[in-house]
Every structure is written in structure tokens, then in C-alpha cells.
Amino acid sequence: MAKIRIYQLAKELGMHNDELLKLLDEMGVAYKSHASTLEDSTAETVKELIGEQRVAEAARRAEEARKAIPHRPPVVVIMGHVDHGKTSLLDYLRKSRIAEKEAGGITQHVGAFEVKTPGGTVVFIDTPGHEAFTTIRARGAKVADIAVIVIAASEGVMPQTKEAIAHAQAAGAKIIFAANKIDLPNADINKVYTDLMQLGIVPVAYGGDYEVIPISARTGQGIDSLLETILLTAELEDLRADPKAEAQGVILEARVDKQAGVLASLLVQQGTLHVGDYVVAGEHWGKLKAMSDSEGTRRSEAGPGSAVQVLGFSELPVAGDTFNWVPDQIAAKEITEERIAERKSLETRPNDGGRARNLADLMRGMQEAERKEINLVLRTDTQGSLEAIQNILERESTDEVKINLLLAAVGAPSESDVLLASTANGAILAFSVNPSGSVKKLAEQKGVPLQSFRIIYELIDEIRKMVKGQKEPVFREEILGSAEVRAVFKLSRGTIAGCMVTSGKIARNAEIRVMRKGKEIWRGGIAGLKRVKDDVREVAQGVECGILLDGFAEFQEGDVLEATQQVEVATD
Ligand SMILES: Nc1nc2c(ncn2[C@@H]2O[C@H](COP(=O)(O)OP(=O)(O)OP(=O)(O)O)[C@@H](O)[C@H]2O)c(=O)[nH]1
């Protein structure tokens, strides 16, 4: 390799000569002038050092930019077992906020409300329970930063407490426990601690990480302390949002009001919404005609952490969809029309959708994503079988593939289990319990694998095969069709092969083998498939088309492009 001169290396690295000379001095490298040559190894070391410095500089700048973004209030959801006091806690929080203003203030349900404390503001999602929470999560948006799980201190941990924990964990929310009903004579905070520890959750009082705050939603005792803990947790999470960014957030609720029309509640997560702005949410768009907050006050703008009710959608947006600011009606219409067209084309695509996913699919997805965890919800008929299967699953977990039980409980799989599995991209295994028709249907809709077993060893066998990869799918390559290159066009966006499909078909998602004189010279994907001027999904025999490949441009007339696809071969 030719030796490099200092000024050449400086140019290559985009540095001034002086800068590089200074660095060489620091490294103790001798030279006469900037025209001196450097040893290869010295040049390599310089490149590495500069590379490292630049990475560090970029990281420092990114951190600085992040720190320049203001903090935002935490968004909290309240969960817990039935009757443990979720609604009472929300009511207390809502009332305490009104009491601070004027008594008798009118509240409006906008899906979330703010509680202002001297230490900061907390946003509470107005609907208790994990269903609302996970429906939103299942649609891909993260709403709650923190889950407050209410446990009645008079009863301790109950089945839905466990479910709530599983849901919050799957959604990646921080968990704070509120030991409620502490005013009751039979309240026993120690039972709450020990119950939690049995689930592997160690409270701070026992040296662990989980805050358990004794409260009474009836008397208000401990609620200040709960709010403080929420704010402290939020501080550690360092939650930030840029009020100047393009507004974005989540649709919390939507309904049609006979007089007003479509009313949607939005939680702004980033940026600031203004009356008059256009937003798109899923397949719907709206021009915000009016906004009001949970106090019924008209707002002209709403920044990060605000929940507002808006008027202006022409059709009902879907709760849980994210919304985004768009500059104008043209953009709003184009984006929603594209989304509708995309959905329709997916619905009409043959052999796609409708097929229930199974565990093998899940494992394949996992392998593709190089994920090392398999998330499972386990449902059994008795406590005994539950423990037995849990123990075996624990043993089957390997270093490569960890089996993570999102929830293990007695009873038939529920719709909430499906949402949980869907959120965590997991599967449901049922042993000796039958899911109801509606649960099966929901699982199908959400693409959650749900399998029932009657014999323990069949269940274990299935898991074992998966973990050990014995069931790794075997694929065979199948030729879909071929096309001959008749002309080559060099355009600014790449080189297009003008082809005639000579047999079968060429599909946009197929893999292409470029054959020259009977030999394969390249293999890869298609970056563009056009028929005249239109992008198309496939082109049939006897039709001309333009093909742009993803990473190959050296076409010659007479090359043959073979379209192939991988077909799974049944091994059972
Ligand atoms: N003594 C006492 N009773 C409470 C407290 N919190 C709630 N309760 C009572 O417990 C019962 C259940 O409270 P809710 O707030 O409805 O419980 P929930 O968890 O929202 O119940 P669901 O919505 O049915 O799941 C009600 O009768 C409340 O009055 C408390 O701190 N102390």
C-alpha cells in the first residue's frame, strides 16, 4: 500500500494540516513537515483516534441537544384488582385538584386530567384498569410512563393484581404500588409486602426497588406521598418533550355527540397543538376547530402532557391510534388516502392475513429479530398444574432462548391475556382450560398464537422443540418466473433493466437471481418494479417491465432475471 503524506491524510479526514500535526505531536510521531509520509500503522491509528473522537463528540452533542429539551409531566395509569379502590383514588385526585381551584368547578371527561403539586404536574389517565391501557399499547403507542397498582391492604395481592403487574411490565411502565384502604382496621401492610415478595417483587422497605405507598383513597392519607413518589420516579426517568416539535400524541377516546359531532380526546406527547392545526390519526384527519381541557376551559393551544378534547374530525378516529400534526389539508388527505389504500391492498392480497399464527411463526419472528426471549401467558386448570408447568418451563429456559412468563394463572385465557400477549409479542398456552370463542377470535385478530393442551408433556414437548430449534423451518427455493433484459437505462435514481417477462411472473417481493450465460452473478431484492409508469406488485408472462435492483446495476442485454421465493417445506 502506498504510504500516505500528512496533508493527504488531513484532507481525507477533513482536518486542517495543523490539527493533524498537533495530534501527531501528542502521539509522539516524528515528521519534518506536512509533506512527510506516515507509516501505515500510524495512519491507521490516527484514523481510529479521529473516528473515536468524532463518535464521542457526536454523542456529547446529542446529549446536549437532549438536555436542551424541557421536562414533561409523567403520564400515569391506575390499575389493580376489582374493588381495590382505583376509581376512588382517581376521584380523590380529581377532587383534590378542583378543591384547589374553586369548589364546585365543572369537570369534563377528556380521557386524562392533570394534578398540579408544588413538586410538579402529574397527568392521570382517567380510565382505570388495564384494558384501556393495553388497547392503547396494543396499537403501538406508549401512553403511560408509570403504572400505580392499587392493592387493598385489607386483602393483599389478588389475581388481577398479578395481571396488572404483568400488563405494566409488558408495556415497559415503571410500577409504583399503592397499598390502599389503610384506614380500615384490618389493613395489613405487611401482608401486602409478603404477597409481593412471593411474586419476586421486593419493596423498598425490604431493600428492593419497588415503592409501596400506604394510602387511603377515602381519607386522602398518604396521597401526597404517592404524588411525590410519582414525581421522583419521573425525575429518574428524565422524561422530556419538545414543545416546539411537530405535535404528536395519542387518541385516548372518541365519540359522536349528537349536537357537537365527533369529539376526540387527545393526549399531546410532543410539540404543541393549536386551534386551526391539521392532524391525522390512522385513516382519519381533522382540522382542529376547538379544544377544551378537563376543566372545561377553551384552549387555543395544548403542549406536551396536555389532554384536550377536540372538535374537528369528520369521522371517528380510533382510540389508541397515534396522531400527528400535518401542515395542511392536502397533506392530511393524501396521508389518510394512502393509508386506506395500503390497508385495502393488504386485505386483498392472496394468502395473507386470516391465517392463525402458531408458535413456530412466533419463534421464527424471534429468530429474525434475534430476540432471545419468548414471552408466554400460561393458563391452567389448577394451581398444582400451574406450578408443575412453571417449574418445567423454568428448566427449559436456556441461555439462548429465555422463557419469560408474562402471566401464569389459573383459569381460562381471557381477552385481557390476549392484549397482554399482543403487547409483548408473545403467545398463550392453555392447559386443560378452554378459551371462549370470543377470546379465540380476538387472538386471531391480534395475531396472538393461542394453543390448548390436554397432556402436560405435549405442552412441554412443544416448548422444548421450539427452544432447541428442532422445529426450525426448512425452506426450498422455488422459481416464480423469469425475465430477459432487453435494454438498459441509466437514470439518476439507478440503472433500470428494461425486461420482457418470458415465463411465470416477476413479483415485487421476490428475490432475484441475475443469470448471465447460465451462471448466477448476483442475488438480491427488487428496489422498484414498474409497468410503463406505474409501480406494480407483479408482472406476468409476455409483459414488459422496468426492474431496479437493490444493489446491482451492471446489467447487460441478454441477462436473465429469475424471480425466486422461499417455500416452507413441511417437516412433520
Ligand atoms: N375504607 C376505605 N374504603 C375504600 C377506600 N378506597 C375505596 N374504598 C371502597 O372500596 C370500594 C371499591 O372502590 P372502587 O374505587 O370502586 O374500586 P375499583 O378498584 O375502582 O373497583 P372496580 O372499578 O369495580 O374495579 C368502594 O366501596 C369504596 O368506597 C379506602 O381507602 N378506604
Side-chain angles (χ1 to χ4, degrees), residues 81-88 180-181 183-184 216-218:
H81 191 73
V82 59
D83 275 352
H84 277 201
K86 302 176 289 286
T87 310
S88 307
N180 190 32
K181 308 197 185 184
D183 58 297
L184 291 178
S216 165
R218 180 161 289 175

Side-chain angles (χ1 to χ4, degrees), residues 217-286:
R218 180 161 289 175
T219 66
Q221 183 191 338
I223 288 185
D224 280 348
S225 157
L226 177 65
L227 285 166
E228 262 168 45
T229 309
I230 291 173
L231 285 164
L232 273 176
T233 307
E235 208 176 301
L236 292 176
E237 292 289 289
D238 199 23
L239 308 168
R240 293 170 192 268
D242 186 356
K244 293 198 202 88
E246 286 178 6
Q248 185 210 304
V250 178
I251 309 275
L252 293 174
E253 292 171 7
R255 66 186 170 90
V256 180
D257 181 274
K258 277 202 191 99
Q259 268 124 40
V262 175
L263 289 174
S265 298
L266 316 182
L267 174 72
V268 182
Q269 293 179 310
Q270 232 203 84
T272 303
L273 270 185
H274 301 90
V275 167
D277 280 351
Y278 286 87
V279 291
V280 293
E283 296 178 1
H284 308 290
W285 65 272

Side-chain angles (χ1 to χ4, degrees), residues 232-422:
L232 273 176
T233 307
E235 208 176 301
L236 292 176
E237 292 289 289
D238 199 23
L239 308 168
R240 293 170 192 268
D242 186 356
K244 293 198 202 88
E246 286 178 6
Q248 185 210 304
V250 178
I251 309 275
L252 293 174
E253 292 171 7
R255 66 186 170 90
V256 180
D257 181 274
K258 277 202 191 99
Q259 268 124 40
V262 175
L263 289 174
S265 298
L266 316 182
L267 174 72
V268 182
Q269 293 179 310
Q270 232 203 84
T272 303
L273 270 185
H274 301 90
V275 167
D277 280 351
Y278 286 87
V279 291
V280 293
E283 296 178 1
H284 308 290
W285 65 272
K287 180 182 180 180
L288 306 183
K289 290 188 206 136
M291 295 198 282
S292 51
D293 61 21
S294 60
E295 278 149 28
T297 314
R298 283 246 172 178
R299 298 265 291 256
S300 59
E301 54 174 54
S306 317
V308 281
Q309 190 173 69
V310 305
L311 200 62
F313 275 93
S314 47
E315 282 172 87
L316 267 188
V318 180
D321 268 347
T322 43
F323 74 81
N324 288 86
W325 174 92
V326 289
D328 49 31
Q329 186 168 337
I330 297 172
K333 277 193 168 163
E334 190 171 328
I335 293 169
T336 47
E337 276 162 16
E338 265 172 29
R339 287 179 181 171
I340 293 168
E342 201 172 311
R343 171 177 51 80
K344 288 196 175 147
S345 86
L346 277 177
E347 280 168 3
T348 52
R349 192 179 289 179
N351 304 329
D352 203 358
R355 189 174 71 93
R357 293 205 317 160
N358 58 27
L359 278 172
D361 288 338
L362 188 80
M363 288 301 292
R364 209 165 303 139
M366 241 177 71
Q367 279 158 359
E368 277 162 17
E370 284 184 36
R371 212 164 347 103
K372 306 249 189 245
E373 264 186 2
I374 174 162
N375 290 324
L376 293 177
V377 172
L378 175 65
R379 285 286 189 173
T380 68
D381 56 342
T382 63
Q383 191 65 28
S385 58
L386 185 74
E387 281 168 18
I389 297 173
Q390 253 176 304
N391 284 336
I392 300 172
L393 288 181
E394 230 164 74
R395 270 186 270 133
E396 294 303 325
S397 218
T398 67
D399 284 346
E400 291 85 52
V401 184
K402 184 173 168 266
I403 297 175
N404 183 24
L405 276 181
L406 298 167
L407 176 71
V410 172
S414 66
E415 292 186 11
S416 140
D417 292 358
V418 177
L419 292 177
L420 172 61
S422 150

Side-chain angles (χ1 to χ4, degrees), residues 81 84 151-158 161 191-192 195:
H81 191 73
H84 277 201
I151 305 173
S154 47
E155 285 186 56
V157 167
M158 299 298 275
T161 317
K191 176 165 167 37
V192 175
D195 282 0

